[in-house]
Amino acid sequence: MDVYGLLGNPVEHSLSPPMHEAAYEALDYDARYVTFETDPDAVDAALDGAKALGIEGLNVTIPFKETIAERVACDETARRVGAVNTIDFGGDDVTGHNTDVEGVRRALAHHDVALDGATAILVGAGGAGRAVAFALADAGAAVHVANRTTEKAVSLAQDLPAASAHDLDEVPALLSEADLLANATSVGMESDDIPVPASALHEDLAVFDAVYTPLDTRLLSAAEAVGAQTIDGAWMLLYQGVAALELWTDRDPPVADMNRALRAELA
Ligand code: ATR
């Protein structure tokens, strides 16, 4: 039996176990996906232990994504983002990847959102914001990053090929000319708050919200109300998992089964 898992703290509410185990079942693959709540002081021991025990792969979540990036051989994307969400123990080296970036790319591609030449407004410049920003910029969008703490937007914009940094209060004006709005702040998580004024939304926008608890955030409801296209946060979650499964195995991920399991868990 192959073993995969999630390294983080906390991990108890993770949706990755049901999503990945639905994939193993659909593939008739003898594997398990386990959560490992790890003490921050024990990250090195956890990595060595996972390798020694023959664990095939680990996802990484808060607060270890940046720490792990300093400890494994990062691929190009993980190195640029400065964060690892997927570790592969299968090769000679322990390698680090960032499938959050690929998750955003595929979530938007799934919804036929054109990014090449598009104007994208990203609110949020934390961990999720960095992954969203690289996905948008690498797909050819001009990215305007706005964040409550403007210095973090400035720093992120400097790491991107074509980007500018803004205060949150500039967002309504920026949105009038934009094709895409992506929310990567935690605003709307377990609350009815909205990260940008609803009055700034319009029907020519595609609106992606990285928040998935709840799935129907106030931002997405407001976007839907003006006729904008909406993409909820479960799509990013789904496709980062799909991309991780592709890295770990040579199997074809059963995307529909994984999506069903994820949405059942979120419902
Ligand atoms: P994650 O890994 O989920 O991105 P994070 O790195 O803590 O989490 O980032 C949270 C993001 O939400 C940040 O962009 C944060 O803004 P700051 O950088 O100014 O902290 C943003 N955020 C959180 N609460 C917010 C609020 N009430 N209004 C606006 N932005 C908020």
Side-chain angles (χ1 to χ4, degrees):
M1 183 177 66
D2 288 345
V3 177
Y4 299 89
L6 174 66
L7 188 71
N9 197 340
V11 291
E12 60 184 330
H13 298 299
S14 171
L15 300 162
S16 291
M19 175 172 65
H20 282 281
E21 294 210 331
Y24 306 153
E25 197 182 327
L27 292 167
D28 200 15
Y29 175 29
D30 189 17
R32 291 295 309 273
Y33 190 103
V34 188
T35 57
F36 298 105
E37 189 161 287
T38 306
D39 190 292
D41 295 335
V43 169
D44 288 317
L47 275 179
D48 290 344
K51 173 89 180 150
L53 292 171
I55 287 173
E56 304 287 332
L58 289 175
N59 283 132
V60 182
T61 189
I62 290 168
F64 300 130
K65 288 185 179 186
E66 291 80 14
T67 317
I68 292 289
E70 292 164 6
R71 287 169 162 77
V72 299
C74 286
D75 73 5
E76 168 88 5
T77 304
R79 188 188 55 72
R80 287 165 71 220
V81 179
V84 161
N85 82 321
T86 303
I87 308 172
D88 186 3
F89 293 96
D92 292 338
D93 285 335
V94 177
T95 57
H97 311 266
N98 191 311
T99 69
D100 289 332
V101 176
E102 181 64 6
V104 175
R105 194 190 67 73
R106 291 199 207 182
L108 297 176
H110 180 109
H111 290 84
D112 296 321
V113 176
L115 292 175
D116 195 15
T119 298
I121 314 302
L122 165 64
V123 288
R130 288 189 67 84
V132 174
F134 279 92
L136 299 178
D138 287 354
V143 184
H144 301 278
V145 186
N147 196 52
R148 178 177 61 181
T149 312
T150 317
E151 299 83 70
K152 275 166 72 180
V154 171
S155 160
L156 173 52
Q158 278 169 352
D159 291 343
L160 298 170
S164 62
H166 303 270
D167 292 328
L168 283 181
D169 56 17
E170 293 174 72
V171 168
L174 289 166
L175 276 176
S176 66
E177 302 292 318
D179 305 297
L180 172 75
L181 167 65
N183 174 45
T185 72
S186 49
V187 178
M189 201 181 285
E190 316 287 356
S191 84
D192 196 35
D193 296 334
I194 189 163
V196 305
S199 57
L201 304 174
H202 56 81
E203 66 176 348
D204 297 329
L205 274 177
V207 179
F208 165 65
D209 200 339
V211 170
Y212 54 81
T213 50
L215 274 181
D216 54 342
T217 58
R218 190 161 149 225
L219 173 63
L220 292 187
S221 316
E224 208 174 300
V226 297
Q229 184 185 8
T230 58
I231 301 105
D232 70 43
W235 292 106
M236 174 181 173
L237 195 59
L238 169 68
Y239 280 110
Q240 64 74 34
V242 167
L245 200 142
E246 284 174 359
L247 268 168
W248 290 330
T249 77
D250 50 13
R251 293 168 168 83
D252 224 1
V255 179
D257 294 281
M258 295 170 77
N259 192 30
R260 208 173 301 123
L262 187 56
R263 285 177 190 275
E265 208 66 27
L266 282 165

